[in-house]
């Protein structure tokens, strides 16, 4: 039996084929149900028990070698070559799928572009911050709940090292190092100690905007945000500002944009109100300017901050924020055509 296996192996090693069809015929001859290799497996049943181990191993080896030899023969014909060995240039090329931008990057770039047209530059700051830049310089009183472990991720046990909870920290860094006029936006990732659900995540992205100069007024803020809304959501968009509160702006407001899905008539995206809440804003509190070394008697400014996920969810009607971070290609591929 071992001799038979050996001689068949030699025979197979010297096999040749001059076409893909011939290689297939060889596969049938040796590997099909009644093929010569398969028949040896039949014979294996009659091998005495004490030889079964050695013969079994040799047989498996034979089968593997046969498969390899025939596959190699087939491969020579399966390339983009005609039967005479020449490359067939009319065959379609092998397509290599290219990736696409992440929807959050698409939306961020669009926001950056719109503000760039108004003369805003882009700045960034660190994600691991200290208390001063995230809270103290921004006029958060010491007992403010945002400083609590409940809302903020602290790094180690040091209460002075934390993950920024908003991009407003970059305002402080920019104002500490530059004098007005300052006109800049700050895109970046932020972290909050929140239970993860379809609507909330412990990490997300914001774009912050800051404009500081002499005589900057609330009217400038309104006009800037109206321009943004029209550019991003369409010319027919309207905005409305509702009074709100942030420690670092006074007065403060929340901005709604007219629902771009139903045009303000009411639908389930805007919960039948006709309006979508998209950002927080206000006039920079003079305390903040002074904390950062900017003369609040001479200068004034406005600031705003918006969540990129929220805006992307509205734009693409995405119902679950977790999809952004799962990186399932079936989700990501849908944004292929986007910039
Ligand atoms: N930092 C605020 C937030 O995260 C948003 C904001 C930015 C509000 C700037 C006013 C001015 O909710």
């Amino acid at each position: 039996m071992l001799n038979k296996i050996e001689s068949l192996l030699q025979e197979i090693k010297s096999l040749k084929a001059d076409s893909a069809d011939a290689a297939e015929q060889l596969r049938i001859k040796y590997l099909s149900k009644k093929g010569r290799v398969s028949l040896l497996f039949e014979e294996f049943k009659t091998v005495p028990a004490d030889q079964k181990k050695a013969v079994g191993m040799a047989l498996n080896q034979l089968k593997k070698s046969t498969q390899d030899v025939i596959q190699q023969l087939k491969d020579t014909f399966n390339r983009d070559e005609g039967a005479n060995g020449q490359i067939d240039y009319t065959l379609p090329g092998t397509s290599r799928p290219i990736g696409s931008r992440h929807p959050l990057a698409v939306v961020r770039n669009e926001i950056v572009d719109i503000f760039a047209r108004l003369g805003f530059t882009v700045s960034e700051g660190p994600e691991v911050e200290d208390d001063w830049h995230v809270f103290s310089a921004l006029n958060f009183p010491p007992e403010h709940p945002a400083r609590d472990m409940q809302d903020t991720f602290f790094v180690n046990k040091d209460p002075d090292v934390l993950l920024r909870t908003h991009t407003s920290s970059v305002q402080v860094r920019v104002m500490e190092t530059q004098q007005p006029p300052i006109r800049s936006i700050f895109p970046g990732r932020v972290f909050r100690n929140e239970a993860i659900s379809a609507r909330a995540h412990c990490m997300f992205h914001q774009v912050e905007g800051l404009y500081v100069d002499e005589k900057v007024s609330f009217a400038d803020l309104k006009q800037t945000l109206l321009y943004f809304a029209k550019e991003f959501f369409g010319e027919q968009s309207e905005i409305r500002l509702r009074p709100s509160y942030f420690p670092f702006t006074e007065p403060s407001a929340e901005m709604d944009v007219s629902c771009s899905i139903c045009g303000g008539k009411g639908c389930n995206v805007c919960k039948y109100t006709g309006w979508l809440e998209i950002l927080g804003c206000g006039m920079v509190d003079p305390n903040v300017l002074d904390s950062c070394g900017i003369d609040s008697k001479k200068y004034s400014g406005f600031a705003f901050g918006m969540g990129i996920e929220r805006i992307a969810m509205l734009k693409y009607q995405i119902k679950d924020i977790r999809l952004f971070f799962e990186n399932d290609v079936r989700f990501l591929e849908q944004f292929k055509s986007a910039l």
Side-chain angles (χ1 to χ4, degrees), residues 36-53:
R36 293 184 52 194
V37 174
S38 313
L39 289 176
L40 281 182
F41 274 86
E42 283 295 308
E43 236 181 288
F44 179 68
K45 293 180 188 146
T46 64
V47 169
D50 59 338
Q51 292 171 30
K52 270 208 153 60
K53 192 171 171 210

Side-chain angles (χ1 to χ4, degrees), residues 138 140 165-169 171 190 192 204 206-209 245-246 248-249 252-253 279-283 302-306:
L138 289 164
F140 278 79
T165 54
H166 54 182
T167 42
S168 300
S169 55
Q171 280 189 35
V190 302
R192 288 184 196 174
F204 56 98
Q206 290 187 327
V207 176
E208 184 93 4
Y245 174 77
F246 300 102
F248 38 95
T249 46
S252 305
L279 57 80
C281 60
M283 300 306 292
F302 66 68
F304 56 86
M306 62 186 110

Side-chain angles (χ1 to χ4, degrees), residues 22 43 82 94 111 124 143 165 218 224 252 267 336:
E43 236 181 288
T94 317
I111 297 171
E124 284 180 21
E143 70 284 2
T165 54
F218 203 92
T224 304
S252 305
C267 66
K336 268 230 155 86

Side-chain angles (χ1 to χ4, degrees), residues 207-223:
V207 176
E208 184 93 4
L210 177 69
Y211 181 25
V212 185
D213 203 349
E214 288 177 37
K215 301 197 183 70
V216 174
S217 72
F218 203 92
D220 297 316
L221 170 62
K222 256 172 98 172
Q223 198 57 36

Side-chain angles (χ1 to χ4, degrees), residues 256-267:
D256 300 338
V257 63
S258 54
C259 180
S260 52
I261 310 290
C262 62
K265 285 194 210 62
C267 66

Side-chain angles (χ1 to χ4, degrees), residues 36-147:
R36 293 184 52 194
V37 174
S38 313
L39 289 176
L40 281 182
F41 274 86
E42 283 295 308
E43 236 181 288
F44 179 68
K45 293 180 188 146
T46 64
V47 169
D50 59 338
Q51 292 171 30
K52 270 208 153 60
K53 192 171 171 210
V55 174
M57 273 164 62
L59 260 181
N60 282 331
Q61 190 51 50
L62 172 70
K63 184 170 175 193
K64 169 121 201 351
S65 304
T66 314
Q67 285 166 338
D68 289 350
V69 166
I70 292 178
Q71 193 55 47
Q72 267 177 24
L73 289 174
K74 285 191 168 180
D75 286 348
T76 35
F77 300 105
N78 282 344
R79 292 202 199 112
D80 300 343
E81 290 174 8
N84 56 4
Q86 281 176 343
I87 293 173
D88 181 353
Y89 292 107
T90 66
L91 285 176
T94 317
S95 72
R96 312 233 178 263
I98 51 166
S100 52
R101 269 193 219 291
H102 193 282
L104 293 178
V106 173
V107 171
R108 182 200 54 213
N109 291 350
E110 213 174 309
I111 297 171
V112 168
D113 278 356
I114 292 171
F115 284 103
R117 294 203 279 280
L118 291 175
F120 282 75
T121 59
V122 177
S123 304
E124 284 180 21
E127 292 176 352
V128 181
E129 265 292 7
D130 52 30
D131 179 278
W132 171 255
H133 290 93
V134 178
F135 299 128
S136 296
L138 289 164
N139 209 27
F140 278 79
E143 70 284 2
H144 194 284
R147 294 169 174 245

